[in-house]
Structures are given as structure tokens and as C-alpha cells.
Amino acid sequence: LRGLKPRAWPADAPAAALMPNKNRATGGLHSFWIGTGLDSGRGIELANTLQQQGGLTYMEPDATARPLLLIPRGASAKGLSVALQAAPGFPAAMPVTIDALGADGRVLDQKTMTLNANSLPMDVTFELPDALRGQAGQLRITGRDSPGAVVLLEDLFNRKSVGLAAASTEGSRTPLIDSGYYIQRALEPFADLHNGDVETLLKIKGLSAIILPDIGALPPATLEALENWVRKGGLLLRFAGPNMSNAENFLTPTPLRQGERALQGGLTWEKPQKIAPFPQSSPLYGLAAPADIAVHQQILAEPVADMEKKTWAALEDGTPLITATALDRGLLVLVHTTATPQWSNLALSGLYVQMLQRIISLSGMSNPLAVADGSLQPLSILDGMGALSTPDSSTLSIDAVNFEKQKIDSSHPPGIYGRSFARKTLNIGDRIKSLKPMPDLPAGAARAGFDRQPQTDLMPWVLSAAMILFLIDWAIMLILQGFGTGRLRLALRHRAPVCLLACLLLLSASHPAKAQEASPEAIKYAASIHLAYVETGAPAIDNTSRKGLENLSAVLRDRTSVEPAGVVGINPETDDLSFFPLLYWPVTPQQAQPSQAMLHNIQSYLDHGGTILFDTRDYGVGSQIGDAAPTIGAMNLRILTGGLDIPPLVIAPKDHVLTKSFYLMKTFPGRYDNASLWVEEQSAIGRDGVSSVLVGGNDWASAWAGVGPADGTNQQEMAFRFGVNLMMYTLTGNYKTDQVHVPHILERLGQ
């Protein structure tokens, strides 16, 4: 079971397909349905079928753990937008945190929303700086391991840096006839635009593309510099126009004819041409050209042998509308009509925006002109836990034309599909717009949660059965040794103490609670090691802490002799902390100032050998407790620990025992990798060198839980290693430090 991973697609289980009428069982089968608490649309039909088979128990999480849904809204000039959707029935004022993550898993921005039933779906906008906006790879709900809680962003969301060369000096006074006006309105939500002449644009670092709208001639030095820029990997997009039709051609995909072709007017019999369907080898394949777009003027290309390969778009008569070719590592693209409505109404359509976005997204591609069959191949898919993984052979490609209509199913799970020059994302939020709770089940069907069922202690009964078998065996031995003779009296005299001991054990096993009144929890926690975290009151954070420690427990059992029996969420004000060697405490703004009872309980725990790891979860900056201007995480930490007697803390030195208690490590990575882990300056001798307080901000529980792209990556593996080192350090103290000095001790003993 550990090797299996759930796949991700919307549930659709029609009862008729599940159990045909002619083979339907009646009365002999009780089904357990492990559900999400949500209705996929045919849940009652399936429930009726299962109930008719003999019985049904529907198991579901509580309202706080039901799946949430992120619906993509797209990019705008303000930022990246997404809608948060939830099914009715969630607790009032439940907080939900959404992260904007980079391609490397870094948190670029974070928004915390409070669910309100009257304002669903709730729109959330991430207003990222230009330097970070182009790095965004996905939006994710923190602590929710579900593909519906993830929105993958296409390349179009990654903002490119584009230079727009001025084609007219009248643009500021007459914007509706200026080429730059239409280009800027089309690209400004998706790209960082820089205006200026070509010489100025070439001096801008990091520029992905340059657009020349109807520029006919350039100085030789400028033209040479522009050509070198393209050869090094730049994308040059040109638009035709009157200036270009009367000038000598330069940097064009194909040779051009002088003058323009007129398709409308009193001197021509030709009529305006419509746009033909885009060929499968074109990066524009999949876009639909509206029937009302008409081109009435264009610049024609001279016929060449490979014209078909260079044509990305053509008119119905076969003449090219967009041509492109590679120039070393760069790309030349020419639109054979104007960027304004002067020669066509293309600039007034939505296709104009889509074409520019698709072309600009090609900048930086290693092989943007690779020929494909028009299908988008699966590149990365989301599994049932919302983590990106490599697709297997069962995942099929999607035709680019039908991509928007493609349903998510077992062969087409959510993920990233594409080819060398086109990448598109298939998100569950694009296909599911609303969430509905599971309605009332049929009469007789049971409804249960995921809570653990009470256990029955069989030890007294097993011991009693063992004692009875022992007495029977003893009686048989007496008979075999001579019942009724003098040997019987000898056997009774020698075995009387054994018989008395067996009776005492039988009585004690039958009444185990009479010897000492102890709670079942105390016995359970004292009998084995349990990992514990402090409950913060925030469901998402608490769920992440629990899952993270559960995963860490599995790693400890697989790699070390430490075998944690479970994970416990505790309330430091009321629970007994003495059973837990380590407490993981995520610091949140929701936690109120601790009461006197809580402070007394925590101080007693620290004074008697306990260790607490405070995690500010803020990329480590919150752990800079010595800063003059404390961060929000540091301020929350001071509120929690202000009434505690904590020794002075210092940043863990490079040779600290935490770096070698099990694995050899240089830093202490979690979801983030920041070396600032604070420990006691001088640990107490009675604690065997173990620091009572550890402070950091690397969000270790999220990394252990696999939240975000860290799942299955080297970052998560290093976080697990730190967790193993932390537990070995907490349980065994400074024995590794002693091992380091063994050669010196042996040398001194030899002297």
C-alpha cells in the first residue's frame, strides 16, 4: 500500500455502471465508502445501490478537513488572481492560507483568508513585484493535500521583459492610430514593457523580446547590434506597414516583395481575406480565428523552398500572414500586416491578444520551431495528494484544439501538458466550479468519521488463558508421575509455590486496574515514544504539523532504532507534557498570550528535561531574535515566551552536535533552508548537553508533510535528515560529541 499513490480526477461513479442490475447482489454485502464529504453529482445513486446490496457505512472527514477548491481567474495588470471555493457547512471564520510558490518551491507571497459563506467564491489577488511575478509557478492552499487545492500557472503567467520600439512620434496625441498603443494594451497584463528606441532597448539587461512595429530602416551600427542580440537568443517580432513596404528588407524570416498587396479598393478585383486554420506545426495551433477577421492589405513574401515550414499563419488564399525562422539561438517573427486596424481588423480581436501572448512566450525556448503533430504531451501531472510527478504510460496526450474542452479523467489527469513551444495547464478548478456537501444518505446507511475506533485490551484475557493452560499442563504432569502415591505428595510439596504464583498472576491479570489507578493515555504515552506538536487552533497548520510528524515517524522507524508509536496534538495549558521528549510548536498570530497555568506547565516541562522547537515558519527571519526591528514571527514568539525563564540563546555553531547526531549536515533545512537555528548558549550539565529551547523559522513540518513542490525532492529529504538528527539529539544527548574526542582520549590513555 505504501507504494501506491492516488490519481487525481473528479469523482464520477454511476451506480448502474458499478453494479449491473442482472448481477446485483442483495443482502449479503456491507460496503464501506471512504469519501470526501462532497457530492460528485451522483452520490445518492451510488449510495442507494450500495445500501441495497446489504448495508453502507459512509466515512468522511470533519467539516474543517473537507477539500477546498482553487479556481483560476487569470493574470491581470494587478497580479495573479484565483478564487477560493468551499462547500457549505465549514466552521465559521475558518482561516485558509494560500501561497504563491516559485518554480523552486519558495514562497513568493502568502494570503490568509477567513471563509465567509456569504461571499463564496472568494477572489484572492497576489500583487507581486515585477521581479517575482515572472517566477510564480503555482498557487496552493497550505496544509491541503489535494489537486483541487493547487492551480498550476502556464508560461503565459510568467511575465517576460519586452521592449517596444516607437513607431510613431504622434502616439501620445493620437493613440488610436499608434502601433504601440495596441501592442501595449494587449501585452501589459502579461509582460513588463519597456518603451524607447532600439539603441536604448538593447542596453536593457534581461530583455526577452523586442517588437518593431512598422520600422522600415535602421542605422547600420544599430542593425548590427540588433542582429547580434537575436543571435544570442533574443526574439524579434516585427509588424508590417507602409514604412516597411517601401524600405529595404532586414532581419526578416523570408525575403519580401517591394510594396504591399491591396485586397480592397477600386483598383483591385480581390476581396479581403480571412485567416485560415493554423497548421499543426505552428505554435499558434489550437487558437480559433474568428470568422469576422479580414485582412485587406499585406506584404507578400518571395517564394522560397521551405516557405511551408516558416509559415505560422496564412490567409485562405495560402499567402503567409505570420512567418518565422531561427537565427542561431534566436528567433525572427514577422506579421505581414499592421499592428493597428489600418490594414486589417485583427488588432481589434481577442485573437490578437492570444497570438501576441503565445509568440512572446516562445522567448528563451531552446527549440521553438520543432515540428509537432498538434498534440500536447503530458510533462508533469498532479497526483491525488496535489504533488507534481512524472507521468507514466497510462497518461495520454491532448489535442491542442480540444484542450479547453478536455475532461479530466484517468487518462488525462490534471497537470502540465505541452511541447517544445507550447505549454498549457489542466487544473481541476477549470472543470469544477462549485462544491456541494454529500446530502442525507438512504435510510439505514451509517455515517462515520475518520476518528480512531476504541480499542479493547486483550492482555488480561490472554494471560488468563495462559495460566489456565499452565494449570492443566501441571495437572497432567501430576497424573503421569503417579497420582495417589507418595510421589503425589512430593509433587505437591515442590509445586505448591508455583501453583500459588500462578493463582496470584491470574488474579492480577483479571483485575489490572486494581493495582494502580492510571489513565489509559498515561499508560500509552509512558509505554512508548510519541511525537507531539502544540495545537494552535488553526486547522490548516495543525493538520500540517500532524502529517509532518507522522511522516517523520515513518522515516525514524525505517532508518533508526527509534520507533515512535504515534503523533499527539497537545494543549500545553491542560495536558501533561512530561511524556514527550520533544514538542514541535509552530508559531502563529492566532495564538493568544499564554495564561499563568500554561506558563507554569511549560516551565516545569523545560526544567525537567523537555525540549521545545519553536518554528516561526517565516523563512528564518523570524528567528533573528536579536534584530533591532523584529519581524512578525519574532514578535509572536516573544509573546509566547515572554513569561518563561529561558537561558540565553545563540546561533547553533558549525560543530554543534545537531550537525552530526545521525547524519552529517551543514544547515538545518525545512521548507526553507536558513542556517539560523538558535540553541542555548550553555546547555545544562544535567540535561546531557541538550538545549531546552530551539528556535528557527524554516517551516519544518511543511517540508516533512510534503506541502508544495518540496514533496519527493532533495529539499524534503534533507528536512527528514534534520528531523532524524533532532530526535537523536533529543533522546541521546551529546554522545556524538564524546565520540569525536575518542581518538584524543585513547591517545592520552596510551601516554
Side-chain angles (χ1 to χ4, degrees), residues 616 618-625 627 629-634 674 676 696-698:
T616 57
D618 56 1
Y619 196 38
V621 295
S623 62
Q624 303 295 332
I625 55 180
D627 288 349
T631 62
I632 296 177
N674 189 303
S676 297
N698 287 344

Side-chain angles (χ1 to χ4, degrees), residues 533-598:
Y533 66 94
V534 175
E535 294 178 339
T536 64
I541 296 177
D542 292 344
N543 292 338
T544 300
S545 298
R546 172 174 288 277
K547 182 178 179 181
L549 292 180
E550 288 175 349
N551 292 346
L552 179 60
S553 299
V555 171
L556 288 168
R557 287 191 292 268
D558 293 341
R559 306 183 185 183
T560 71
S561 59
V562 180
E563 297 184 356
V567 176
V568 183
I570 62 170
N571 183 348
E573 184 172 3
T574 58
D575 294 335
D576 188 354
L577 310 180
S578 59
F579 299 105
F580 312 108
L582 174 69
L583 296 184
Y584 175 76
W585 194 323
V587 180
T588 65
Q590 292 85 357
Q591 291 174 324
Q593 187 170 0
S595 62
Q596 290 297 325
M598 180 187 295

Side-chain angles (χ1 to χ4, degrees), residues 449-495:
F450 290 156
D451 297 333
R452 293 177 178 267
Q453 299 298 320
Q455 299 179 356
T456 301
D457 189 3
L458 299 179
M459 184 175 292
W461 303 100
V462 174
L463 290 178
S464 299
M467 293 304 104
I468 292 174
L469 292 175
F470 172 76
L471 292 176
I472 294 175
D473 178 73
W474 176 61
I476 294 174
M477 291 182 62
L478 290 179
I479 295 174
L480 293 177
Q481 291 182 7
F483 181 78
T485 64
R487 298 176 65 183
L488 174 61
R489 292 190 296 272
L490 180 62
L492 288 173
R493 184 167 61 250
H494 286 285
R495 288 173 172 81

Side-chain angles (χ1 to χ4, degrees), residues 348-626:
L348 303 177
S349 67
L351 178 63
Y352 184 77
V353 178
Q354 296 174 339
M355 289 171 50
L356 288 182
Q357 294 173 8
R358 188 73 67 86
I359 293 173
I360 295 301
S361 68
L362 300 179
S363 60
M365 293 283 186
S366 59
N367 188 17
L369 298 182
V371 178
D373 60 357
S375 63
L376 303 179
Q377 303 296 327
L379 303 178
S380 297
I381 62 172
L382 288 175
D383 60 20
M385 308 303 292
L388 283 174
S389 59
T390 302
D392 54 24
S393 59
S394 64
T395 306
L396 304 180
S397 60
I398 303 175
D399 186 76
V401 174
N402 301 319
F403 188 86
E404 301 301 331
K405 302 178 182 179
Q406 177 64 52
K407 292 184 178 181
I408 297 178
D409 53 30
S410 59
S411 300
H412 306 95
I416 302 175
Y417 293 77
R419 42 186 173 154
S420 59
F421 48 72
R423 281 163 48 103
K424 295 186 71 65
T425 58
L426 187 62
N427 292 298
I428 286 186
D430 289 326
R431 305 301 189 264
I432 302 177
K433 302 300 181 181
S434 62
L435 301 178
K436 298 179 180 179
M438 178 66 72
D440 295 335
L441 298 178
R447 207 159 183 164
F450 290 156
D451 297 333
R452 293 177 178 267
Q453 299 298 320
Q455 299 179 356
T456 301
D457 189 3
L458 299 179
M459 184 175 292
W461 303 100
V462 174
L463 290 178
S464 299
M467 293 304 104
I468 292 174
L469 292 175
F470 172 76
L471 292 176
I472 294 175
D473 178 73
W474 176 61
I476 294 174
M477 291 182 62
L478 290 179
I479 295 174
L480 293 177
Q481 291 182 7
F483 181 78
T485 64
R487 298 176 65 183
L488 174 61
R489 292 190 296 272
L490 180 62
L492 288 173
R493 184 167 61 250
H494 286 285
R495 288 173 172 81
V498 178
C499 183
L500 179 60
L501 176 60
C503 293
L504 292 176
L505 291 175
L506 180 61
L507 291 175
S508 63
S510 301
H511 305 281
K514 297 298 182 180
Q516 180 180 358
E517 294 295 336
S519 64
E521 290 79 7
I523 296 176
K524 178 176 68 174
Y525 297 154
S528 57
I529 296 175
H530 287 75
L531 303 186
Y533 66 94
V534 175
E535 294 178 339
T536 64
I541 296 177
D542 292 344
N543 292 338
T544 300
S545 298
R546 172 174 288 277
K547 182 178 179 181
L549 292 180
E550 288 175 349
N551 292 346
L552 179 60
S553 299
V555 171
L556 288 168
R557 287 191 292 268
D558 293 341
R559 306 183 185 183
T560 71
S561 59
V562 180
E563 297 184 356
V567 176
V568 183
I570 62 170
N571 183 348
E573 184 172 3
T574 58
D575 294 335
D576 188 354
L577 310 180
S578 59
F579 299 105
F580 312 108
L582 174 69
L583 296 184
Y584 175 76
W585 194 323
V587 180
T588 65
Q590 292 85 357
Q591 291 174 324
Q593 187 170 0
S595 62
Q596 290 297 325
M598 180 187 295
L599 292 175
H600 182 271
N601 198 17
I602 297 173
Q603 190 66 57
S604 176
Y605 171 76
L606 296 177
D607 293 342
H608 291 83
T611 298
I612 300 178
L613 172 61
F614 290 101
D615 190 352
T616 57
R617 307 178 304 109
D618 56 1
Y619 196 38
V621 295
S623 62
Q624 303 295 332
I625 55 180

Side-chain angles (χ1 to χ4, degrees), residues 647-651 653 656 678-684 691 693:
L649 303 180
V650 296
I651 296 179
H656 194 272
W678 295 74
V679 298
E680 286 187 20
E681 184 177 8
Q682 294 181 347
S683 301
S691 177
V693 172

Side-chain angles (χ1 to χ4, degrees), residues 180-312:
Y181 172 78
Y182 293 91
I183 297 174
Q184 185 164 345
R185 290 295 300 271
L187 288 179
E188 62 183 359
F190 309 96
D192 298 326
L193 296 176
H194 305 272
N195 294 281
D197 53 33
V198 177
E199 293 84 351
T200 303
L201 297 178
L202 291 175
K203 297 178 182 179
I204 300 177
K205 294 183 178 180
L207 207 61
S208 302
I210 293 179
I211 302 177
L212 303 184
D214 190 20
I215 294 182
L218 289 174
T222 304
L223 182 60
E224 182 180 0
L226 181 60
E227 181 179 354
N228 292 333
W229 177 84
V230 175
R231 291 184 181 277
K232 293 179 181 179
L235 186 150
L236 178 62
L237 173 61
R238 304 191 62 186
F239 284 87
N243 296 332
M244 190 172 178
S245 64
N246 297 318
E248 185 178 355
N249 299 328
F250 65 92
L251 291 180
T252 57
T254 62
L256 302 178
R257 294 182 179 180
Q258 289 290 329
E260 65 266 13
R261 177 195 184 194
L263 301 173
Q264 183 179 6
L267 300 179
T268 178
W269 292 95
E270 296 183 282
K271 296 182 179 180
Q273 291 286 321
K274 300 182 182 300
I275 300 178
F278 299 107
Q280 290 186 347
S281 59
S282 169
L284 306 179
Y285 180 73
L287 301 180
D292 58 349
I293 296 181
V295 177
H296 53 81
Q297 212 160 348
Q298 68 178 139
I299 290 182
L300 292 175
E302 294 285 356
V304 292
D306 57 347
M307 177 60 71
E308 184 178 354
K309 295 182 179 180
K310 294 182 177 181
T311 302
W312 284 4

